[in-house]
Amino acid sequence: MPLRARHRLTAITVCLLWAGPACSTGTSTTPATAVRDSPSSAAETPGPGPTPETSRHHATYLRPGDCLLDLPHDLVATLVPCGHPHAAEYASIYVLPEGPWPGEEEARREALAWCAPRLRIKASKRETVEAGVLPPLEHEWPGARTAYCLAVPREGELVGRVLE
């Protein structure tokens, strides 16, 4: 093969290898800082917060098993490794039915009624852990009606995973 053809083939191969993964799944409008590989990536992705092992993400980016440093009021959670003290472990979501804003307390009550029986707490933790929720925000209603189901301590903080 002539030298010029080999260079062109090499350039095409390098281009395809570099661009292929980006093109294979389509384009993403998600900011790079919000994309996470796994629940444990909080320990690998430095971000603002109390330790270098934390990262901040909107609740829409939570994955089951993520551990939250505290319970946010704005739905932007600081994630920490679950081996560190934390306020909650994320489990799942519940989408409230369409309609007018029910109010924060009613949204919380309805979400908790759905989340509590579905929370899979480890048998050894059932006495110390209960269901909690992050309800949707009024200013985002009705576009965002999602509540986030959590395992929270009855007292103090959690250390380690509490969900099966």
Side-chain angles (χ1 to χ4, degrees), residues 68-79:
L68 287 68
L69 180 64
D70 51 21
L71 299 178
H73 298 288
D74 60 358
L75 297 182
V76 177
T78 301
L79 303 183

Side-chain angles (χ1 to χ4, degrees), residues 96-108:
L96 280 81
E98 291 183 24
W101 170 243
E104 185 176 346
E105 284 307 310
E106 178 59 23
R108 184 181 306 279

